[in-house]
Amino acid sequence: MTEPSTLVGALTLALWFGVVVGAAPYLPRYRRRQRELLDQWARASEREHIVAARLAQTDHQKGEFLALVSHELRTPLTAVKGFVDTVLLHWERLADDRRRELLTRASSNADELGRLVRQLMEFGRTESGPIEIAPDTLDVAAAVDVALCGIAPVTAQHRMAVDVPDALAVDADADAFNHVLVNLLTNAVKFSPTGSTVSISARRDDSEVVVSVADEGPGIAPEEQERIFDRFYQSRNGNHHARGTGIGLTIAQRFTAQHGGRIWVESEPSHGATFSFTMPVAMG
């Protein structure tokens, strides 16, 4: 008679051997599936780390953006109040020319404050989704004149050179076109030496019109030329005091893309920068 423990051991061994033999054909498939699951887990983990890093970067950028906005809005507001208070407090002692100078400077800073507020509003609109535009035939020369008149106080200390052929028209929303051009012009002025020339030109290129704004500023390093269109990005070139909110070029890019166009920059350090954007030619 076989001992019960020996019998149980033999049966267990036989069962295990049978399971192994029966499962043998499936082991490669099991191992392959195990490797696939491990690879999927590794990729998911990597994506999670990337998303977390991007969220952290976005939060950091938003914090910087709020600090910049606070500074940018406070600066012209403080200047306006300072100039107006000076005139009010010393009205009797100030000559007419001095009063006019102070009030003119207050008005210029108020214009800058208004421009920043409008820029922030436009950025908020573009962040919430595509903006409704109403493209129509727009005369480029006339649109350039409108943009220059609107920011005349900003460009007062620079020479503006315009080279736009007559009868050149685009199929574009007038407000969107104006926002793109004004952003490029104010950037050019802000980062260019006083008294330097800012050039605006336009030409037809097949089914598009290319509009360019060139300045004589410090230029943009090659490694920055793609990043400058990112929201909140601030170029390291130029005068630190000329820094803005970092959203002007982002707005310009979004408005241009909505017309099916593109925007880019050509620049070499110390040789200025030329920003160009395209919009479709008006047909008929």
Side-chain angles (χ1 to χ4, degrees), residues 43-61:
R43 288 195 295 269
S45 179
E46 184 180 359
R47 284 195 296 269
E48 184 178 352
H49 285 301
I50 292 173
V51 169
R54 287 177 178 172
L55 287 174
Q57 183 182 17
T58 299
D59 287 341
H60 178 69
Q61 288 177 330

Side-chain angles (χ1 to χ4, degrees), residues 28-56:
R29 185 187 307 171
Y30 168 77
R31 288 171 180 162
R32 185 167 59 251
R33 179 58 180 162
Q34 190 178 41
R35 286 195 300 270
E36 290 174 355
L37 290 173
L38 287 173
D39 288 343
Q40 289 175 9
W41 179 85
R43 288 195 295 269
S45 179
E46 184 180 359
R47 284 195 296 269
E48 184 178 352
H49 285 301
I50 292 173
V51 169
R54 287 177 178 172
L55 287 174

Side-chain angles (χ1 to χ4, degrees), residues 31-141:
R31 288 171 180 162
R32 185 167 59 251
R33 179 58 180 162
Q34 190 178 41
R35 286 195 300 270
E36 290 174 355
L37 290 173
L38 287 173
D39 288 343
Q40 289 175 9
W41 179 85
R43 288 195 295 269
S45 179
E46 184 180 359
R47 284 195 296 269
E48 184 178 352
H49 285 301
I50 292 173
V51 169
R54 287 177 178 172
L55 287 174
Q57 183 182 17
T58 299
D59 287 341
H60 178 69
Q61 288 177 330
K62 284 182 178 179
E64 285 190 334
F65 173 66
L66 291 174
L68 282 168
V69 167
S70 176
H71 172 74
E72 291 296 317
L73 293 179
R74 190 186 300 117
T75 299
L77 184 60
T78 302
V80 169
K81 181 170 175 53
F83 292 136
V84 172
D85 285 349
T86 299
V87 173
L88 291 175
L89 288 171
H90 305 288
W91 180 271
E92 300 296 336
R93 287 183 289 171
L94 292 173
D96 288 345
D97 289 346
R98 180 58 175 162
R99 289 178 196 159
R100 184 178 297 278
E101 178 193 350
L102 290 171
L103 291 175
T104 298
R105 293 172 69 180
S107 177
S108 177
N109 277 276
D111 289 338
E112 174 66 9
L113 183 61
R115 185 188 68 78
L116 287 169
V117 170
R118 287 192 298 274
Q119 191 177 74
L120 291 171
M121 291 175 64
E122 288 303 323
F123 179 72
R125 289 173 62 202
T126 59
E127 282 286 280
S128 61
I131 297 174
E132 291 186 12
I133 59 174
D136 199 358
T137 300
L138 182 67
D139 183 81
V140 177

Side-chain angles (χ1 to χ4, degrees), residues 146-193:
V146 169
L148 288 174
C149 288
I151 59 170
V154 177
T155 63
Q157 298 187 30
H158 289 72
R159 295 189 299 272
M160 310 304 293
V162 180
D163 181 16
V164 179
D166 295 331
L168 183 63
V170 291
D171 184 31
D173 181 277
D175 286 338
F177 186 94
N178 184 265
H179 278 295
V180 176
L181 186 56
V182 165
N183 274 313
L184 297 186
L185 288 170
T186 51
N187 250 27
V189 168
K190 185 178 292 187
F191 290 97
S192 298

